[in-house]
Amino acid sequence: MTYVHIWWYVTRASAVVAWVLLTLAVVWGTLLSTRVLRKVDNPSWLLDLHRYLSTLSIVMVLVHLGSLMLDGWLHFSAADILIPLHADYRALPVAIGIIAFYLLVAVQLSSLLMNRIPRRVWKAIHYSSYLVVVLVSFHAGWSGTDVGTIWYRATAISLIVLAAAAVMTRVVVGRRGAAASRVERPQRPRQTGEPGTLAQPEARSALGPHPMVVGFVVQLAQRVLGIRLVSVTGEQLPAWRPGSHITLTLPSGLQRQYSLCGDPAERSFFDIAVRLGEDPTGGSSWLHANAHPGLPLRVTGPFNHFELEPAHSYLFIAGGIGITPIRAMIESLPARRDWRLVHVGSSRRTLALSSDLERRHPGRVWIHASDENSARLDLARLIAGSPGDIYCCGPEGLMSAVAALAPPERLHLERFAPVERVAVGDQRAIDVSCRKSGVSFSVGPGDSILDRLEQYGLPVAGSCRKGVCGTCEVRVVGGRPDHLDSVVADEEKDRLGIMYPCVSRALSADLVLDL
C-alpha cells in the first residue's frame, strides 16, 4: 500500500462508517421518541448514546470530506465537496451527498439550539434526518467504488432495512398515539406514577413560563397532596429527565420549586407532591387550601440539577417528601437494574408514594418509620453494603449524615433548604461586567448580584433566591466566584464555569459574566 493509496482507503472506510453511524443515530432517535425502549434501559443513557452516535457521524463525514481532498486519484477541491454539481466526478451523486451533509449539519445545530428556537422549527429540521438517510443511501449507491462487492451490498441492505423499520415504527406508534388522543379520557384520574402513554416528539420549550391548570388533586399521605398540572392549550409538555423540578408561580406572585414525581415518559401532564409546611403564609399552605381542578398556575421549567447518571446499581435514600424526585428515577429504570430504596419518616401515614413502590417492587423497598422501629436507621451499615451510586433527598440532617459516610464520587444530593455557608472573601464591593451586553455595574457589600442583573434587564431568571433551585445559573468567563449556594458541588461549578448569583459573590475584585 503506497502513501497515495492510504487516503483512498480512508475515504472508503470513513464513508461506510459514517453511513452506519448516521443510520443507527436515526434509528435510535426514532426508538427513543416512540418510547419503544422505555423498559429497556436508563433513558439518560439512551439519549446520550443517541447524541454520541449523531456527533460521531458528523466527525466521520468530516474525515470523509477531508480524505477526498487528500486522495491523489480523485483530486477533489474544497469547492468540489462543498458546492453541489461543481465536481467533475459523478456530479449528481456527489451533489446529493453534499446536500445530505448540509441537512445533517442543520439537524445537529438544531439539537444544540433546541431550547432557543421554536419547537415547531426544531421538529421540522429534526425530521429531515429521515431525508438525510435516504439521500446518503442514494449517494452511496451511485458514487461508491465498492457497490458491486458482496460486503457492500450486505451492508447497504442491512442499513436500508433498519431505516425502513424505524420509519414504520414511527408511523405505527404515531397513529396509535393520535388515535389515543381522540379517545375521551376516563373520568377517574390516574394516580401518580401509573404508566404513561407513549411520548410524541412535539413539545413546548422547557424555558417557560407555561400557563397551566390543575387537573386534579389527590391526598397521597397525611399532609401531602398530589397535584396534576396540565397544559392550557393541550400541547405536549417539555421532555424532562428524572430528578427534574419545576417552579410554580402562585397568584400572589410567590414562587416555589417542586420535584416532578411522575413518569418521565408522560408528556401530557406534570405530577408533583406538596407537603404541608409549618408556615401558614408559605406556598404549600396556599396550595393545600386553594388547589382545585381548573386552578390556573404559571409553571417554569423543568430544570434539573439532580441528574440520574448511568450506574450498575443504585441506593436511594429519601427522607419524607424527598421521595418525589427519587420516585421518577425509579420509574425510569429497567426491570433488570439493581436498586434499593430506603424511605425514612416518622410514620407510614406521612410517607407518600413509597407504599405503591413497595407493593410493585417487593424486596427492593424498605420503609423505615420511627413509630414502627425503635432503633435508629444504621446509615453506616446501609451505605457500606451498597457498591453503587447513592442518591439522597430529604431533610438537611439526613443528607448531612449520608454525606459524611458516602464516598463523594458516588454521592448525589438534592437539598430543599440552603446549607449555611460563610463567604471566604471579605464583603467588599464587586465590579461585575457582562460580556455580551456590555453592561457593567458595582455590587455593594450585602447586595445580591442577581438583583443588580435584574435591575439592568439582563436575561437571567430568579426563583428561590436562596441558592437551592439553580434557576439563576450564569456562565462565568472572568474572575473567581465565591460559591455560597447549595445546588451542586463547588468543584463541579468551577469545572463547568458557572455560578448562582442569587447568593454567591466573588473572591476576585471583579467578575465577567457571559450575559
Side-chain angles (χ1 to χ4, degrees), residues 3-22:
Y3 174 79
V4 176
H5 290 150
I6 288 177
W7 295 114
W8 181 60
Y9 285 106
V10 172
T11 296
R12 296 162 65 199
S14 59
V16 174
V17 173
W19 189 10
V20 171
L21 290 172
L22 174 61

Side-chain angles (χ1 to χ4, degrees), residues 92 158 173 176 185 201 237 254 295 320 344 439 451 469 499:
L92 182 57
S158 300
V173 175
R176 186 182 301 168
R185 292 175 180 254
L237 297 172
L254 192 66
L295 174 70
V344 185
V439 173
D451 289 344
C469 71
M499 70 175 295

Side-chain angles (χ1 to χ4, degrees), residues 275-307:
R275 184 183 69 85
L276 179 62
E278 301 299 330
D279 184 2
T281 63
S284 64
S285 297
W286 191 95
L287 286 170
H288 273 253
N290 298 283
H292 63 270
L295 174 70
L297 294 169
R298 283 193 301 137
V299 176
T300 307
F303 306 102
N304 198 341
H305 301 282
F306 192 40
E307 188 84 23

Side-chain angles (χ1 to χ4, degrees), residues 3-15 63-81 86-91 94 139 142-146:
Y3 174 79
V4 176
H5 290 150
I6 288 177
W7 295 114
W8 181 60
Y9 285 106
V10 172
T11 296
R12 296 162 65 199
S14 59
V63 171
H64 177 61
L65 295 178
S67 60
L68 282 173
M69 291 190 291
L70 295 172
D71 185 359
W73 179 64
L74 290 174
H75 296 292
F76 271 86
S77 66
D80 290 336
I81 64 172
H86 188 277
D88 295 329
Y89 174 80
R90 300 185 182 181
V94 171
H139 169 72
W142 287 350
S143 61
T145 57
D146 298 302

Side-chain angles (χ1 to χ4, degrees), residues 58 77 84 108 159 227 249 369 398 402 458 511:
I58 286 278
S77 66
Q108 191 74 359
L159 295 178
I227 300 177
T249 302
L398 173 65
V402 171
L458 293 166
L511 281 175

Side-chain angles (χ1 to χ4, degrees), residues 435-450:
R435 184 179 65 174
K436 292 181 179 178
S437 62
V439 173
S440 298
F441 52 83
S442 179
V443 181
D447 293 338
S448 166
I449 298 177
L450 175 60

Side-chain angles (χ1 to χ4, degrees), residues 275 318-322 344 392-401 414-417:
R275 184 183 69 85
I321 200 62
V344 185
C392 181
C393 183
E396 181 56 37
L398 173 65
M399 290 194 294
S400 296
E414 181 174 56
R415 288 183 159 87
F416 296 151

